[in-house]
Amino acid sequence: MWNLPGFSKTAKDKEEEESMRRIFHLFPKRKRSLRSPPNKKHSPPPLSKLPIKKRTVYQYTTTTTKTPQWIRRLKKDMNIADDPFLLAEKPLDLDDVDPDQNRLSIPFQSLKRNDFLTCDEGVILGDERVNNDGRIGVAACLVDQRNKQWKMVLKKWVRVSDSGKVLQSFLLSGAWSDVVEANGLRDGDNISLWSFRLNGFLFFALDFAGDSTDFLE
């Protein structure tokens, strides 16, 4: 029944061939699968199509605030190597000027930069997964617009709101209540906090009047 060279089909071969053709027509034709054979390895998807795992990062707003004149003078008088930079801006609230609280709250969302701590200081305060309840701090010094220096302690505070949102802040305590009283700070006053280092020690400069008032004249 096979159509080989040198052989001719007999009537019986033709009859069997026709019978087989009819049998094959009884079965539906299967569509060719587009899947690769089981033993064929799939090539990895292009990098542009891979899902990107988002990191939690903090958002810092940019600013065009110029360095106040008194801070530029402070840099020269104290022989500060690097330029002081703006760290945070905020209005003071009732808790900030309450002597019983004795701390300045610096919410993370008010920060302009997050690179002002050394690695060791970051370990002391703990990373974002650690809640030390404000018990551990980093020694610092705050300079006001009268060039008076105050001993401070920078701490980290993590709390959960009633809605379940995690709120993180830095707390500047120590002699903060004395700073409030000496400079007559009140609820609603807008302040800016600048940062620099002197001989590796962490300093803050508190500006609340800008260049409108020169307290050293």
Side-chain angles (χ1 to χ4, degrees):
M1 58 180 295
W2 308 109
N3 189 16
L4 300 175
F7 293 86
S8 59
K9 294 182 180 180
T10 64
K12 185 177 181 181
D13 292 336
K14 292 180 179 180
E15 183 179 349
E16 290 181 359
E17 185 176 336
E18 182 64 24
S19 176
M20 292 296 295
R21 186 181 295 111
R22 291 176 182 177
I23 293 175
F24 287 141
H25 283 314
L26 294 177
F27 296 91
K29 293 183 178 181
R30 296 179 59 184
K31 294 183 179 180
R32 180 176 296 177
S33 174
L34 297 178
R35 293 181 299 177
S36 303
N39 58 348
K40 185 177 181 180
K41 295 183 179 180
H42 294 275
S43 58
L47 294 178
S48 59
K49 294 184 179 181
L50 291 175
I52 300 176
K53 185 178 181 180
K54 295 184 178 180
R55 294 179 58 195
T56 302
V57 296
Y58 301 115
Q59 300 295 327
Y60 302 98
T61 55
T62 58
T63 180
T64 57
T65 302
K66 295 182 179 179
T67 305
Q69 183 177 351
W70 76 271
I71 294 183
R72 295 198 299 269
R73 185 172 59 222
L74 181 70
K75 178 179 184 292
K76 180 179 179 181
D77 293 343
M78 295 183 64
N79 195 24
I80 303 169
D82 298 322
D83 291 336
F85 56 84
L86 180 62
L87 180 62
E89 292 177 309
K90 61 163 286 183
L92 295 177
D93 57 33
L94 287 173
D95 290 336
D96 291 327
V97 297
D98 184 353
D100 293 331
Q101 298 274 356
N102 188 28
R103 93 289 184 277
L104 170 66
S105 174
I106 311 169
F108 278 19
Q109 61 266 28
S110 70
L111 293 173
K112 306 299 180 183
R113 294 176 57 166
N114 66 340
D115 58 349
F116 66 100
L117 296 174
T118 65
C119 292
D120 290 339
E121 291 167 347
V123 171
I124 292 174
L125 293 178
D127 60 29
E128 62 182 5
R129 297 166 296 178
V130 177
N131 181 1
N132 61 40
D133 294 328
R135 293 190 296 267
I136 304 174
V138 172
C141 183
L142 183 140
V143 185
D144 63 17
Q145 288 190 238
R146 294 176 175 83
N147 279 12
K148 183 173 177 59
Q149 299 184 16
W150 308 85
K151 293 181 179 180
M152 310 297 290
V153 178
L154 181 69
K155 301 179 180 181
K156 180 183 174 183
W157 179 260
V158 182
R159 67 184 181 88
V160 180
S161 66
D162 295 337
S163 61
K165 183 178 181 180
V166 177
L167 303 175
Q168 302 187 81
S169 302
F170 285 116
L171 301 180
L172 199 57
S173 60
W176 173 249
S177 291
D178 296 332
V179 175
V180 171
E181 182 179 0
N183 290 278
L185 299 178
R186 297 178 297 177
D187 173 35
D189 287 348
N190 291 313
I191 66 164
S192 61
L193 199 64
W194 298 71
S195 182
F196 61 92
R197 289 188 179 268
L198 185 62
N199 297 326
F201 195 77
L202 179 62
F203 274 78
F204 298 105
L206 176 67
D207 179 74
F208 57 88
D211 291 331
S212 61
T213 304
D214 191 340
F215 291 93
L216 299 181
E217 287 186 348

